[in-house]
Amino acid sequence: MWQLASTGVRAHRGAFAGTAVVLAVAAAVLAITGVLFESGTRLQSGGDSASGSLLVSLASSYAGTLIVVVVMVVAATVSLALRSRRREFALLRAVGATPSQVRRTVTLEVGVVSLVAAPLGAIAGLFGARLLDPVLVSSGMVAPDFTSTLSPLPVLAAVALIVVTAVPVGRLGAREAARTDPTAALQQSAVEDRQVGIGRRLTALAMTLGGLAMAFSTLFIPGTMGAAMASLSAFLLVGAAALAGPVLVGWIFDRVARMHPSGGRPATMLAVRNVRGFSRRLTTVVVPLALVVAAATVQTSVNRAISEGAEQQFVAAVEADLVVTPTEGASPDLPAQVAAVPGVASTVPLASIPGEMRTDAESGAMGWEATALRVLPLGTAAVDPDVVKGSLDGIDAPDTVAVSTDTAFMSGAGVGETLTLRLGEDVVDATVVAVYSRGMGVGAIITGPATAEAHGLPVVPDTLLVDLADGADTAGATAAITALGATAADPETHIATAMQSAGGENDIGVALLLLLLGVVAVGAASTLAMTTMARRDELALLHRTGTTRRQLMGMTTVEAAVTGVTAWVLGTVAVVPAVIGVSAGVLDGPPVVDLLSYGIVSGAVVVFALVATALAARRTTKLATAVA
């Protein structure tokens, strides 16, 4: 059996080479995520809980999307590599091979390729993770002397995930051929069966309903957590389309063919009929390309929605004419100096103190998440966090806090319950006295000066909210405050500038998004190349029956355009519920989409399909038409 499997890998090294590249790239990105996670846990255990928590949160949030994408790309690539061998499996059955022998052979083949490609890719990702260190430092997430932790654990985790994904997919791919009668399997290798089983139909329906439900999870899961949940709905909908794709593609192009049953250009007619006859093949190629559109659009649009939501909440919460922040070198008595500026009616100092919130009592160092507590002066009306339960009057007592709806949902601590915090060296069970809705603009936790003083934490103002007297010269007051070594702007301008200056923190998100898209792009290129090269016999047969080389190239070009456009449509349709759901949860207004990113990615998908197919079709067509 081992000899048969190793022979199969060598005989189909072209198809397995593309699969191996996809597995290696996927393992590399998984290993990078593992390095981020392990580095974060090491920082937490070493005492740098703030940076450690940020890295763990970053790796955890990215890992969920990455695992979904890796599973789908690896599944599409492996299943396509095996689909081109249906005739071979049928012949093995015809000469006496049992279904279990065919399944074991395929399992060994995929296992061999996975165990060779995945470790190589994971090791490359392990050392390549160090390239992200400067980005992490520049974003302010870690200290300037930070160095990623390298150990075998991320490599082992990446290899294990790749193997447990690829091998079962390979076994499932061989199951249909192994169970089908040899004569019927040979017949199906000429034209694919577009029908799918009842189990696959029900799974596709369940994923569709689950995706739609998840898209609107923001209606009952507040804030950024609900937005993150809603963003995953696009991947569920793409997965549902992958399962039901053969039926949908066949149904659509049946009607396209009936519109012009005998007219049109030969290349176009051949392309439409090929798509009808090989709808499974088209679906397998479309899925990775649709993932590119979905992943890029969801990530960028969700980030934009969260940024705009934070701006809206900040502007709604701050009831002041100017927001003043000290610059480097500002005087310690800046609040008094600002209060003395002509035209200033009142000033309200705001401060923040560092802390940690316990998220899981049984997870040790990993159970703490870095946070900042916003310290509000007692009785101030300059900040309105929109309290929905309880009252802010209670934060005048030590060890009392108000929490955002986001934090209340995540921690399970409502009004009258306790939230475990680490303030300095003290672990505090703080009583929750209020829950408010504008956490994205105000902060996750609000407390009073008494809590900070009780634990020896200095309350140093980092922001001043300034109200001007009626008829005061706003421009003059702003200039006078700026001369004191501070920046002054109205709330809208202040928060917009603050969000733009936080671009360094977005750099690491962009880098991780590019890595994610790299996995999908490699998978898409591999599936396009494998699909085109596997059609040599088909193209040779068409050539023998009178089709010219030019018509064959035209046919593959039309099919590539159909592939790209179908992927763009599928990715767009899959993203729409997520964008609507995220916007409904965090925005007060219509849904937002990062149109620039969406337009670039949409055009790139169509061009990518045309170019990748053309490169593979040129050589394949040349070889096919050279057959005597």
Side-chain angles (χ1 to χ4, degrees), residues 253-273:
F253 284 94
D254 276 348
R255 279 140 188 84
V256 171
R258 290 173 187 171
M259 291 172 61
H260 300 284
S262 59
R265 302 170 65 91
T268 304
M269 293 171 58
L270 287 171
V272 171
R273 281 155 177 75

Side-chain angles (χ1 to χ4, degrees), residues 351-356 373 375 422-426 428 447-460:
S352 293
I353 57 175
E356 294 177 85
L373 283 72
V375 181
R422 184 183 285 160
L423 303 176
E425 299 298 326
D426 302 335
V428 181
T447 191
T451 299
E453 294 169 359
H455 301 283
L457 298 175
V459 180
V460 180

Side-chain angles (χ1 to χ4, degrees), residues 319 347-350 375-385 391-397 446-449:
E319 300 179 0
T347 61
V348 176
L350 304 180
V375 181
L376 293 185
L378 300 180
T380 181
V383 178
D384 177 17
S391 172
L392 289 181
D393 295 339
I395 62 171
D396 58 344
I446 292 175
T447 191

